[in-house]
Amino acid sequence: MSGKVTSSDFGLTIKLFWLTILMVYCLFGFSQTRCADDGNLPQPYKKCFLKSDAQSGDTTTISIPEGCTDIKYDSLKTGIYRIVMKGFHGETYLHCIANVSDGKRSGKYLEFYKSGLLYSKSYFLKGHLTGPFISYHKNGFMRSNGEITYHPENDEELFTGTYFEYWENGAIASKFLVKKNKIRKELYLDEQGKIISYDTYLKTWHNCY
């Protein structure tokens, strides 16, 4: 068997080379240029337009694009709203259930993981977060809980009282005694309940709910 390269072999190699170049261009160059021309490349959403998709009794379902973080409720009538996220590839999932009164969140507010499991439960009064707050790990165990109060004189939503954080196994991870957003005492424990550290001092609490 000869190792000599014939003219037909060379011609086939040239054809395969240009075919490869064409495929790369079609897959990357052409498709990206077309998307850019159409304006369909995924971009961060800045405005959330709330449009009613379905009505069932007192509950209205509204769909918004995934990535939308600035949800405006001021255009909504009094009622219960299911806010559904629409992903870039057409998938949908429940984002939250909000009670709205006169264009402001009032009453119970629920947020969910993409899996549909509950992420947090909180309460609003005339658009302001106030009352008990609870969040959950993906396995269903409590993640944190505390009390939030709204102070109209400063227009602030602040933790007050005892605030807890938990490990994924349900054990207490930390405990804080908070007064007007100032930590008075804090306690840290490992997953077996053993105390890691304990401090008593005054510092500003940054709400991370």
Side-chain angles (χ1 to χ4, degrees):
M1 183 176 180
S2 174
K4 184 179 180 181
V5 177
T6 64
S7 59
S8 61
D9 292 334
F10 181 75
L12 179 61
T13 301
I14 294 297
K15 289 180 180 180
L16 289 175
F17 172 76
W18 284 111
L19 180 61
T20 302
I21 294 297
L22 180 62
M23 289 177 64
V24 171
Y25 173 75
C26 289
L27 288 174
F28 297 99
F30 175 74
S31 63
Q32 288 190 9
T33 302
R34 180 188 61 188
C35 288
D37 290 342
D38 293 343
N40 292 327
L41 287 175
Q43 299 291 336
Y45 291 98
K46 296 181 179 180
K47 296 181 180 180
C48 304
F49 301 98
L50 302 184
K51 181 181 178 182
S52 176
D53 286 348
Q55 182 80 32
S56 178
D58 295 331
T59 303
T60 303
T61 298
I62 292 176
S63 298
I64 60 176
E66 186 177 51
C68 179
T69 56
D70 185 19
I71 302 175
K72 301 296 185 183
Y73 294 89
D74 51 7
S75 63
L76 301 180
K77 299 178 180 178
T78 298
I80 304 171
Y81 292 85
R82 297 176 72 256
I83 311 296
V84 175
M85 287 281 189
K86 284 188 175 181
F88 296 121
H89 304 290
E91 72 278 11
T92 61
Y93 58 91
L94 179 62
H95 172 64
C96 66
I97 297 177
N99 287 265
V100 177
S101 179
D102 297 326
K104 296 181 179 180
R105 280 179 287 180
S106 293
K108 184 165 61 176
Y109 177 76
L110 305 175
E111 286 186 292
F112 298 86
Y113 287 106
K114 279 188 175 182
S115 64
L117 294 175
L118 183 63
Y119 168 71
S120 70
K121 179 170 65 175
S122 56
Y123 295 85
F124 282 80
L125 179 62
K126 296 181 179 179
H128 299 289
L129 191 61
T130 184
F133 170 85
I134 304 173
S135 67
Y136 299 89
H137 289 290
K138 291 183 178 181
N139 62 6
F141 281 105
M142 194 179 298
R143 180 178 180 178
S144 66
N145 75 299
E147 187 84 13
I148 298 173
T149 57
Y150 173 64
H151 298 266
E153 65 276 11
N154 301 319
D155 192 28
E156 291 183 311
E157 300 159 344
L158 309 177
F159 277 109
T160 300
T162 305
Y163 175 82
F164 292 90
E165 293 179 335
Y166 301 86
W167 296 104
E168 291 188 9
N169 65 0
I172 296 175
S174 58
K175 177 181 178 181
F176 302 91
L177 179 61
V178 186
K179 186 176 182 180
K180 291 186 178 181
N181 238 39
K182 304 287 186 179
I183 295 178
R184 304 288 176 155
K185 296 180 181 179
E186 59 182 351
L187 174 69
Y188 296 92
L189 305 95
D190 63 18
E191 294 182 69
Q192 285 70 47
K194 183 180 178 181
I195 295 177
I196 299 174
S197 66
Y198 178 87
D199 294 296
T200 302
Y201 55 93
L202 185 66
K203 72 175 182 179
T204 302
W205 172 272
H206 297 284
N207 289 358
C208 298
Y209 49 81

mmCIF file with all atom_site columns, all heavy atoms in Angstrom, residues 58-83:
data_model
loop_
_atom_site.group_PDB
_atom_site.id
_atom_site.type_symbol
_atom_site.label_atom_id
_atom_site.label_alt_id
_atom_site.label_comp_id
_atom_site.label_asym_id
_atom_site.label_entity_id
_atom_site.label_seq_id
_atom_site.pdbx_PDB_ins_code
_atom_site.Cartn_x
_atom_site.Cartn_y
_atom_site.Cartn_z
_atom_site.occupancy
_atom_site.B_iso_or_equiv
_atom_site.pdbx_formal_charge
_atom_site.auth_seq_id
_atom_site.auth_comp_id
_atom_site.auth_asym_id
_atom_site.auth_atom_id
_atom_site.pdbx_PDB_model_num
ATOM 1   N N   . ASP A 1 58 ? -60.462 34.922 43.076 1.00 0.00 ? 58 ASP A N   1
ATOM 2   C CA  . ASP A 1 58 ? -59.799 36.154 43.501 1.00 0.00 ? 58 ASP A CA  1
ATOM 3   C C   . ASP A 1 58 ? -58.324 36.192 43.120 1.00 0.00 ? 58 ASP A C   1
ATOM 4   O O   . ASP A 1 58 ? -57.633 37.171 43.396 1.00 0.00 ? 58 ASP A O   1
ATOM 5   C CB  . ASP A 1 58 ? -59.916 36.321 45.024 1.00 0.00 ? 58 ASP A CB  1
ATOM 6   C CG  . ASP A 1 58 ? -61.359 36.502 45.470 1.00 0.00 ? 58 ASP A CG  1
ATOM 7   O OD1 . ASP A 1 58 ? -62.148 37.035 44.673 1.00 0.00 ? 58 ASP A OD1 1
ATOM 8   O OD2 . ASP A 1 58 ? -61.690 36.095 46.599 1.00 0.00 ? 58 ASP A OD2 1
ATOM 9   N N   . THR A 1 59 ? -57.820 35.111 42.503 1.00 0.00 ? 59 THR A N   1
ATOM 10  C CA  . THR A 1 59 ? -56.390 35.002 42.185 1.00 0.00 ? 59 THR A CA  1
ATOM 11  C C   . THR A 1 59 ? -56.124 35.276 40.709 1.00 0.00 ? 59 THR A C   1
ATOM 12  O O   . THR A 1 59 ? -56.763 34.703 39.837 1.00 0.00 ? 59 THR A O   1
ATOM 13  C CB  . THR A 1 59 ? -55.854 33.606 42.554 1.00 0.00 ? 59 THR A CB  1
ATOM 14  O OG1 . THR A 1 59 ? -56.094 33.353 43.940 1.00 0.00 ? 59 THR A OG1 1
ATOM 15  C CG2 . THR A 1 59 ? -54.365 33.520 42.278 1.00 0.00 ? 59 THR A CG2 1
ATOM 16  N N   . THR A 1 60 ? -55.164 36.154 40.451 1.00 0.00 ? 60 THR A N   1
ATOM 17  C CA  . THR A 1 60 ? -54.762 36.493 39.086 1.00 0.00 ? 60 THR A CA  1
ATOM 18  C C   . THR A 1 60 ? -53.335 36.016 38.852 1.00 0.00 ? 60 THR A C   1
ATOM 19  O O   . THR A 1 60 ? -52.456 36.229 39.686 1.00 0.00 ? 60 THR A O   1
ATOM 20  C CB  . THR A 1 60 ? -54.820 38.016 38.856 1.00 0.00 ? 60 THR A CB  1
ATOM 21  O OG1 . THR A 1 60 ? -56.140 38.486 39.139 1.00 0.00 ? 60 THR A OG1 1
ATOM 22  C CG2 . THR A 1 60 ? -54.451 38.365 37.421 1.00 0.00 ? 60 THR A CG2 1
ATOM 23  N N   . THR A 1 61 ? -53.102 35.352 37.727 1.00 0.00 ? 61 THR A N   1
ATOM 24  C CA  . THR A 1 61 ? -51.759 34.895 37.366 1.00 0.00 ? 61 THR A CA  1
ATOM 25  C C   . THR A 1 61 ? -51.124 35.887 36.404 1.00 0.00 ? 61 THR A C   1
ATOM 26  O O   . THR A 1 61 ? -51.738 36.287 35.411 1.00 0.00 ? 61 THR A O   1
ATOM 27  C CB  . THR A 1 61 ? -51.799 33.504 36.710 1.00 0.00 ? 61 THR A CB  1
ATOM 28  O OG1 . THR A 1 61 ? -52.335 32.561 37.653 1.00 0.00 ? 61 THR A OG1 1
ATOM 29  C CG2 . THR A 1 61 ? -50.396 33.052 36.306 1.00 0.00 ? 61 THR A CG2 1
ATOM 30  N N   . ILE A 1 62 ? -49.889 36.283 36.716 1.00 0.00 ? 62 ILE A N   1
ATOM 31  C CA  . ILE A 1 62 ? -49.153 37.246 35.898 1.00 0.00 ? 62 ILE A CA  1
ATOM 32  C C   . ILE A 1 62 ? -47.797 36.651 35.530 1.00 0.00 ? 62 ILE A C   1
ATOM 33  O O   . ILE A 1 62 ? -47.123 36.073 36.385 1.00 0.00 ? 62 ILE A O   1
ATOM 34  C CB  . ILE A 1 62 ? -48.953 38.570 36.657 1.00 0.00 ? 62 ILE A CB  1
ATOM 35  C CG1 . ILE A 1 62 ? -50.299 39.277 36.843 1.00 0.00 ? 62 ILE A CG1 1
ATOM 36  C CG2 . ILE A 1 62 ? -47.979 39.480 35.932 1.00 0.00 ? 62 ILE A CG2 1
ATOM 37  C CD1 . ILE A 1 62 ? -50.213 40.539 37.649 1.00 0.00 ? 62 ILE A CD1 1
ATOM 38  N N   . SER A 1 63 ? -47.384 36.786 34.282 1.00 0.00 ? 63 SER A N   1
ATOM 39  C CA  . SER A 1 63 ? -46.093 36.269 33.821 1.00 0.00 ? 63 SER A CA  1
ATOM 40  C C   . SER A 1 63 ? -45.130 37.416 33.573 1.00 0.00 ? 63 SER A C   1
ATOM 41  O O   . SER A 1 63 ? -45.511 38.435 32.995 1.00 0.00 ? 63 SER A O   1
ATOM 42  C CB  . SER A 1 63 ? -46.265 35.461 32.530 1.00 0.00 ? 63 SER A CB  1
ATOM 43  O OG  . SER A 1 63 ? -47.099 34.340 32.746 1.00 0.00 ? 63 SER A OG  1
ATOM 44  N N   . ILE A 1 64 ? -43.887 37.250 34.017 1.00 0.00 ? 64 ILE A N   1
ATOM 45  C CA  . ILE A 1 64 ? -42.842 38.235 33.783 1.00 0.00 ? 64 ILE A CA  1
ATOM 46  C C   . ILE A 1 64 ? -41.579 37.512 33.321 1.00 0.00 ? 64 ILE A C   1
ATOM 47  O O   . ILE A 1 64 ? -41.411 36.323 33.581 1.00 0.00 ? 64 ILE A O   1
ATOM 48  C CB  . ILE A 1 64 ? -42.538 39.065 35.047 1.00 0.00 ? 64 ILE A CB  1
ATOM 49  C CG1 . ILE A 1 64 ? -42.068 38.158 36.186 1.00 0.00 ? 64 ILE A CG1 1
ATOM 50  C CG2 . ILE A 1 64 ? -43.740 39.882 35.474 1.00 0.00 ? 64 ILE A CG2 1
ATOM 51  C CD1 . ILE A 1 64 ? -41.653 38.930 37.434 1.00 0.00 ? 64 ILE A CD1 1
ATOM 52  N N   . PRO A 1 65 ? -40.672 38.210 32.632 1.00 0.00 ? 65 PRO A N   1
ATOM 53  C CA  . PRO A 1 65 ? -39.440 37.566 32.160 1.00 0.00 ? 65 PRO A CA  1
ATOM 54  C C   . PRO A 1 65 ? -38.508 37.191 33.314 1.00 0.00 ? 65 PRO A C   1
ATOM 55  O O   . PRO A 1 65 ? -38.449 37.906 34.320 1.00 0.00 ? 65 PRO A O   1
ATOM 56  C CB  . PRO A 1 65 ? -38.791 38.639 31.274 1.00 0.00 ? 65 PRO A CB  1
ATOM 57  C CG  . PRO A 1 65 ? -39.880 39.623 30.996 1.00 0.00 ? 65 PRO A CG  1
ATOM 58  C CD  . PRO A 1 65 ? -40.773 39.599 32.174 1.00 0.00 ? 65 PRO A CD  1
ATOM 59  N N   . GLU A 1 66 ? -37.814 36.082 33.168 1.00 0.00 ? 66 GLU A N   1
ATOM 60  C CA  . GLU A 1 66 ? -36.829 35.672 34.161 1.00 0.00 ? 66 GLU A CA  1
ATOM 61  C C   . GLU A 1 66 ? -35.718 36.723 34.244 1.00 0.00 ? 66 GLU A C   1
ATOM 62  O O   . GLU A 1 66 ? -35.269 37.249 33.238 1.00 0.00 ? 66 GLU A O   1
ATOM 63  C CB  . GLU A 1 66 ? -36.237 34.318 33.778 1.00 0.00 ? 66 GLU A CB  1
ATOM 64  C CG  . GLU A 1 66 ? -35.308 33.750 34.831 1.00 0.00 ? 66 GLU A CG  1
ATOM 65  C CD  . GLU A 1 66 ? -34.806 32.368 34.455 1.00 0.00 ? 66 GLU A CD  1
ATOM 66  O OE1 . GLU A 1 66 ? -34.309 32.212 33.320 1.00 0.00 ? 66 GLU A OE1 1
ATOM 67  O OE2 . GLU A 1 66 ? -34.915 31.443 35.268 1.00 0.00 ? 66 GLU A OE2 1
ATOM 68  N N   . GLY A 1 67 ? -35.294 37.014 35.459 1.00 0.00 ? 67 GLY A N   1
ATOM 69  C CA  . GLY A 1 67 ? -34.267 38.025 35.652 1.00 0.00 ? 67 GLY A CA  1
ATOM 70  C C   . GLY A 1 67 ? -34.836 39.366 36.053 1.00 0.00 ? 67 GLY A C   1
ATOM 71  O O   . GLY A 1 67 ? -34.111 40.278 36.429 1.00 0.00 ? 67 GLY A O   1
ATOM 72  N N   . CYS A 1 68 ? -36.154 39.486 35.989 1.00 0.00 ? 68 CYS A N   1
ATOM 73  C CA  . CYS A 1 68 ? -36.807 40.736 36.385 1.00 0.00 ? 68 CYS A CA  1
ATOM 74  C C   . CYS A 1 68 ? -36.817 40.829 37.910 1.00 0.00 ? 68 CYS A C   1
ATOM 75  O O   . CYS A 1 68 ? -37.323 39.953 38.596 1.00 0.00 ? 68 CYS A O   1
ATOM 76  C CB  . CYS A 1 68 ? -38.227 40.759 35.854 1.00 0.00 ? 68 CYS A CB  1
ATOM 77  S SG  . CYS A 1 68 ? -39.128 42.219 36.302 1.00 0.00 ? 68 CYS A SG  1
ATOM 78  N N   . THR A 1 69 ? -36.220 41.858 38.448 1.00 0.00 ? 69 THR A N   1
ATOM 79  C CA  . THR A 1 69 ? -36.126 42.003 39.902 1.00 0.00 ? 69 THR A CA  1
ATOM 80  C C   . THR A 1 69 ? -36.909 43.196 40.430 1.00 0.00 ? 69 THR A C   1
ATOM 81  O O   . THR A 1 69 ? -37.248 43.248 41.597 1.00 0.00 ? 69 THR A O   1
ATOM 82  C CB  . THR A 1 69 ? -34.653 42.169 40.338 1.00 0.00 ? 69 THR A CB  1
ATOM 83  O OG1 . THR A 1 69 ? -34.084 43.281 39.646 1.00 0.00 ? 69 THR A OG1 1
ATOM 84  C CG2 . THR A 1 69 ? -33.856 40.911 40.016 1.00 0.00 ? 69 THR A CG2 1
ATOM 85  N N   . ASP A 1 70 ? -37.206 44.147 39.542 1.00 0.00 ? 70 ASP A N   1
ATOM 86  C CA  . ASP A 1 70 ? -37.905 45.358 39.972 1.00 0.00 ? 70 ASP A CA  1
ATOM 87  C C   . ASP A 1 70 ? -39.374 45.245 39.597 1.00 0.00 ? 70 ASP A C   1
ATOM 88  O O   . ASP A 1 70 ? -39.823 45.763 38.580 1.00 0.00 ? 70 ASP A O   1
ATOM 89  C CB  . ASP A 1 70 ? -37.268 46.586 39.320 1.00 0.00 ? 70 ASP A CB  1
ATOM 90  C CG  . ASP A 1 70 ? -37.871 47.882 39.837 1.00 0.00 ? 70 ASP A CG  1
ATOM 91  O OD1 . ASP A 1 70 ? -38.489 47.856 40.916 1.00 0.00 ? 70 ASP A OD1 1
ATOM 92  O OD2 . ASP A 1 70 ? -37.731 48.908 39.160 1.00 0.00 ? 70 ASP A OD2 1
ATOM 93  N N   . ILE A 1 71 ? -40.124 44.523 40.421 1.00 0.00 ? 71 ILE A N   1
ATOM 94  C CA  . ILE A 1 71 ? -41.535 44.286 40.146 1.00 0.00 ? 71 ILE A CA  1
ATOM 95  C C   . ILE A 1 71 ? -42.368 45.428 40.717 1.00 0.00 ? 71 ILE A C   1
ATOM 96  O O   . ILE A 1 71 ? -42.298 45.725 41.897 1.00 0.00 ? 71 ILE A O   1
ATOM 97  C CB  . ILE A 1 71 ? -42.001 42.945 40.741 1.00 0.00 ? 71 ILE A CB  1
ATOM 98  C CG1 . ILE A 1 71 ? -41.155 41.799 40.176 1.00 0.00 ? 71 ILE A CG1 1
ATOM 99  C CG2 . ILE A 1 71 ? -43.471 42.713 40.452 1.00 0.00 ? 71 ILE A CG2 1
ATOM 100 C CD1 . ILE A 1 71 ? -41.447 40.453 40.796 1.00 0.00 ? 71 ILE A CD1 1
ATOM 101 N N   . LYS A 1 72 ? -43.166 46.063 39.872 1.00 0.00 ? 72 LYS A N   1
ATOM 102 C CA  . LYS A 1 72 ? -44.004 47.173 40.296 1.00 0.00 ? 72 LYS A CA  1
ATOM 103 C C   . LYS A 1 72 ? -45.441 46.687 40.512 1.00 0.00 ? 72 LYS A C   1
ATOM 104 O O   . LYS A 1 72 ? -46.021 46.059 39.641 1.00 0.00 ? 72 LYS A O   1
ATOM 105 C CB  . LYS A 1 72 ? -43.986 48.289 39.242 1.00 0.00 ? 72 LYS A CB  1
ATOM 106 C CG  . LYS A 1 72 ? -42.605 48.852 38.945 1.00 0.00 ? 72 LYS A CG  1
ATOM 107 C CD  . LYS A 1 72 ? -42.008 49.541 40.169 1.00 0.00 ? 72 LYS A CD  1
ATOM 108 C CE  . LYS A 1 72 ? -40.691 50.201 39.827 1.00 0.00 ? 72 LYS A CE  1
ATOM 109 N NZ  . LYS A 1 72 ? -40.051 50.820 41.004 1.00 0.00 ? 72 LYS A NZ  1
ATOM 110 N N   . TYR A 1 73 ? -45.981 46.995 41.675 1.00 0.00 ? 73 TYR A N   1
ATOM 111 C CA  . TYR A 1 73 ? -47.341 46.567 42.010 1.00 0.00 ? 73 TYR A CA  1
ATOM 112 C C   . TYR A 1 73 ? -48.345 47.709 41.940 1.00 0.00 ? 73 TYR A C   1
ATOM 113 O O   . TYR A 1 73 ? -49.544 47.492 42.130 1.00 0.00 ? 73 TYR A O   1
ATOM 114 C CB  . TYR A 1 73 ? -47.363 45.973 43.424 1.00 0.00 ? 73 TYR A CB  1
ATOM 115 C CG  . TYR A 1 73 ? -46.585 44.694 43.558 1.00 0.00 ? 73 TYR A CG  1
ATOM 116 C CD1 . TYR A 1 73 ? -45.224 44.715 43.872 1.00 0.00 ? 73 TYR A CD1 1
ATOM 117 C CD2 . TYR A 1 73 ? -47.188 43.451 43.370 1.00 0.00 ? 73 TYR A CD2 1
ATOM 118 C CE1 . TYR A 1 73 ? -44.503 43.531 43.981 1.00 0.00 ? 73 TYR A CE1 1
ATOM 119 C CE2 . TYR A 1 73 ? -46.471 42.270 43.482 1.00 0.00 ? 73 TYR A CE2 1
ATOM 120 C CZ  . TYR A 1 73 ? -45.124 42.322 43.793 1.00 0.00 ? 73 TYR A CZ  1
ATOM 121 O OH  . TYR A 1 73 ? -44.406 41.158 43.910 1.00 0.00 ? 73 TYR A OH  1
ATOM 122 N N   . ASP A 1 74 ? -47.875 48.924 41.674 1.00 0.00 ? 74 ASP A N   1
ATOM 123 C CA  . ASP A 1 74 ? -48.753 50.083 41.783 1.00 0.00 ? 74 ASP A CA  1
ATOM 124 C C   . ASP A 1 74 ? -49.870 50.107 40.744 1.00 0.00 ? 74 ASP A C   1
ATOM 125 O O   . ASP A 1 74 ? -50.841 50.842 40.900 1.00 0.00 ? 74 ASP A O   1
ATOM 126 C CB  . ASP A 1 74 ? -47.942 51.388 41.716 1.00 0.00 ? 74 ASP A CB  1
ATOM 127 C CG  . ASP A 1 74 ? -47.001 51.433 40.522 1.00 0.00 ? 74 ASP A CG  1
ATOM 128 O OD1 . ASP A 1 74 ? -47.067 50.519 39.684 1.00 0.00 ? 74 ASP A OD1 1
ATOM 129 O OD2 . ASP A 1 74 ? -46.204 52.374 40.446 1.00 0.00 ? 74 ASP A OD2 1
ATOM 130 N N   . SER A 1 75 ? -49.736 49.307 39.680 1.00 0.00 ? 75 SER A N   1
ATOM 131 C CA  . SER A 1 75 ? -50.777 49.290 38.648 1.00 0.00 ? 75 SER A CA  1
ATOM 132 C C   . SER A 1 75 ? -51.812 48.191 38.881 1.00 0.00 ? 75 SER A C   1
ATOM 133 O O   . SER A 1 75 ? -52.765 48.059 38.095 1.00 0.00 ? 75 SER A O   1
ATOM 134 C CB  . SER A 1 75 ? -50.139 49.090 37.274 1.00 0.00 ? 75 SER A CB  1
ATOM 135 O OG  . SER A 1 75 ? -49.479 47.828 37.206 1.00 0.00 ? 75 SER A OG  1
ATOM 136 N N   . LEU A 1 76 ? -51.649 47.411 39.947 1.00 0.00 ? 76 LEU A N   1
ATOM 137 C CA  . LEU A 1 76 ? -52.525 46.271 40.195 1.00 0.00 ? 76 LEU A CA  1
ATOM 138 C C   . LEU A 1 76 ? -53.700 46.629 41.095 1.00 0.00 ? 76 LEU A C   1
ATOM 139 O O   . LEU A 1 76 ? -53.579 47.443 42.007 1.00 0.00 ? 76 LEU A O   1
ATOM 140 C CB  . LEU A 1 76 ? -51.731 45.128 40.828 1.00 0.00 ? 76 LEU A CB  1
ATOM 141 C CG  . LEU A 1 76 ? -50.545 44.587 40.030 1.00 0.00 ? 76 LEU A CG  1
ATOM 142 C CD1 . LEU A 1 76 ? -49.867 43.460 40.777 1.00 0.00 ? 76 LEU A CD1 1
ATOM 143 C CD2 . LEU A 1 76 ? -50.987 44.119 38.650 1.00 0.00 ? 76 LEU A CD2 1
ATOM 144 N N   . LYS A 1 77 ? -54.826 45.982 40.824 1.00 0.00 ? 77 LYS A N   1
ATOM 145 C CA  . LYS A 1 77 ? -56.001 46.156 41.655 1.00 0.00 ? 77 LYS A CA  1
ATOM 146 C C   . LYS A 1 77 ? -55.888 45.280 42.903 1.00 0.00 ? 77 LYS A C   1
ATOM 147 O O   . LYS A 1 77 ? -55.016 44.419 43.006 1.00 0.00 ? 77 LYS A O   1
ATOM 148 C CB  . LYS A 1 77 ? -57.258 45.783 40.869 1.00 0.00 ? 77 LYS A CB  1
ATOM 149 C CG  . LYS A 1 77 ? -57.496 46.641 39.633 1.00 0.00 ? 77 LYS A CG  1
ATOM 150 C CD  . LYS A 1 77 ? -58.733 46.175 38.902 1.00 0.00 ? 77 LYS A CD  1
ATOM 151 C CE  . LYS A 1 77 ? -58.989 47.017 37.658 1.00 0.00 ? 77 LYS A CE  1
ATOM 152 N NZ  . LYS A 1 77 ? -60.176 46.550 36.906 1.00 0.00 ? 77 LYS A NZ  1
ATOM 153 N N   . THR A 1 78 ? -56.776 45.487 43.847 1.00 0.00 ? 78 THR A N   1
ATOM 154 C CA  . THR A 1 78 ? -56.779 44.693 45.073 1.00 0.00 ? 78 THR A CA  1
ATOM 155 C C   . THR A 1 78 ? -57.096 43.231 44.750 1.00 0.00 ? 78 THR A C   1
ATOM 156 O O   . THR A 1 78 ? -58.039 42.935 44.011 1.00 0.00 ? 78 THR A O   1
ATOM 157 C CB  . THR A 1 78 ? -57.820 45.246 46.064 1.00 0.00 ? 78 THR A CB  1
ATOM 158 O OG1 . THR A 1 78 ? -57.453 46.583 46.412 1.00 0.00 ? 78 THR A OG1 1
ATOM 159 C CG2 . THR A 1 78 ? -57.883 44.396 47.326 1.00 0.00 ? 78 THR A CG2 1
ATOM 160 N N   . GLY A 1 79 ? -56.286 42.323 45.272 1.00 0.00 ? 79 GLY A N   1
ATOM 161 C CA  . GLY A 1 79 ? -56.497 40.903 45.030 1.00 0.00 ? 79 GLY A CA  1
ATOM 162 C C   . GLY A 1 79 ? -55.253 40.097 45.318 1.00 0.00 ? 79 GLY A C   1
ATOM 163 O O   . GLY A 1 79 ? -54.271 40.602 45.869 1.00 0.00 ? 79 GLY A O   1
ATOM 164 N N   . ILE A 1 80 ? -55.268 38.817 44.953 1.00 0.00 ? 80 ILE A N   1
ATOM 165 C CA  . ILE A 1 80 ? -54.140 37.910 45.139 1.00 0.00 ? 80 ILE A CA  1
ATOM 166 C C   . ILE A 1 80 ? -53.506 37.645 43.776 1.00 0.00 ? 80 ILE A C   1
ATOM 167 O O   . ILE A 1 80 ? -54.205 37.355 42.806 1.00 0.00 ? 80 ILE A O   1
ATOM 168 C CB  . ILE A 1 80 ? -54.593 36.583 45.777 1.00 0.00 ? 80 ILE A CB  1
ATOM 169 C CG1 . ILE A 1 80 ? -55.314 36.854 47.113 1.00 0.00 ? 80 ILE A CG1 1
ATOM 170 C CG2 . ILE A 1 80 ? -53.404 35.649 46.003 1.00 0.00 ? 80 ILE A CG2 1
ATOM 171 C CD1 . ILE A 1 80 ? -55.972 35.632 47.703 1.00 0.00 ? 80 ILE A CD1 1
ATOM 172 N N   . TYR A 1 81 ? -52.166 37.712 43.719 1.00 0.00 ? 81 TYR A N   1
ATOM 173 C CA  . TYR A 1 81 ? -51.470 37.570 42.445 1.00 0.00 ? 81 TYR A CA  1
ATOM 174 C C   . TYR A 1 81 ? -50.403 36.490 42.506 1.00 0.00 ? 81 TYR A C   1
ATOM 175 O O   . TYR A 1 81 ? -49.592 36.464 43.431 1.00 0.00 ? 81 TYR A O   1
ATOM 176 C CB  . TYR A 1 81 ? -50.828 38.907 42.040 1.00 0.00 ? 81 TYR A CB  1
ATOM 177 C CG  . TYR A 1 81 ? -51.849 39.968 41.693 1.00 0.00 ? 81 TYR A CG  1
ATOM 178 C CD1 . TYR A 1 81 ? -52.422 40.746 42.686 1.00 0.00 ? 81 TYR A CD1 1
ATOM 179 C CD2 . TYR A 1 81 ? -52.253 40.148 40.377 1.00 0.00 ? 81 TYR A CD2 1
ATOM 180 C CE1 . TYR A 1 81 ? -53.380 41.705 42.369 1.00 0.00 ? 81 TYR A CE1 1
ATOM 181 C CE2 . TYR A 1 81 ? -53.209 41.109 40.047 1.00 0.00 ? 81 TYR A CE2 1
ATOM 182 C CZ  . TYR A 1 81 ? -53.764 41.879 41.048 1.00 0.00 ? 81 TYR A CZ  1
ATOM 183 O OH  . TYR A 1 81 ? -54.712 42.822 40.735 1.00 0.00 ? 81 TYR A OH  1
ATOM 184 N N   . ARG A 1 82 ? -50.442 35.596 41.511 1.00 0.00 ? 82 ARG A N   1
ATOM 185 C CA  . ARG A 1 82 ? -49.398 34.588 41.315 1.00 0.00 ? 82 ARG A CA  1
ATOM 186 C C   . ARG A 1 82 ? -48.439 35.135 40.263 1.00 0.00 ? 82 ARG A C   1
ATOM 187 O O   . ARG A 1 82 ? -48.817 35.281 39.092 1.00 0.00 ? 82 ARG A O   1
ATOM 188 C CB  . ARG A 1 82 ? -49.974 33.251 40.856 1.00 0.00 ? 82 ARG A CB  1
ATOM 189 C CG  . ARG A 1 82 ? -50.911 32.599 41.848 1.00 0.00 ? 82 ARG A CG  1
ATOM 190 C CD  . ARG A 1 82 ? -51.526 31.314 41.280 1.00 0.00 ? 82 ARG A CD  1
ATOM 191 N NE  . ARG A 1 82 ? -50.546 30.236 41.192 1.00 0.00 ? 82 ARG A NE  1
ATOM 192 C CZ  . ARG A 1 82 ? -49.980 29.841 40.068 1.00 0.00 ? 82 ARG A CZ  1
ATOM 193 N NH1 . ARG A 1 82 ? -50.272 30.427 38.915 1.00 0.00 ? 82 ARG A NH1 1
ATOM 194 N NH2 . ARG A 1 82 ? -49.108 28.838 40.074 1.00 0.00 ? 82 ARG A NH2 1
ATOM 195 N N   . ILE A 1 83 ? -47.201 35.428 40.645 1.00 0.00 ? 83 ILE A N   1
ATOM 196 C CA  . ILE A 1 83 ? -46.215 35.954 39.705 1.00 0.00 ? 83 ILE A CA  1
ATOM 197 C C   . ILE A 1 83 ? -45.385 34.786 39.179 1.00 0.00 ? 83 ILE A C   1
ATOM 198 O O   . ILE A 1 83 ? -44.678 34.122 39.936 1.00 0.00 ? 83 ILE A O   1
ATOM 199 C CB  . ILE A 1 83 ? -45.294 36.996 40.369 1.00 0.00 ? 83 ILE A CB  1
ATOM 200 C CG1 . ILE A 1 83 ? -46.126 38.043 41.127 1.00 0.00 ? 83 ILE A CG1 1
ATOM 201 C CG2 . ILE A 1 83 ? -44.409 37.646 39.323 1.00 0.00 ? 83 ILE A CG2 1
ATOM 202 C CD1 . ILE A 1 83 ? -47.027 38.874 40.265 1.00 0.00 ? 83 ILE A CD1 1
#
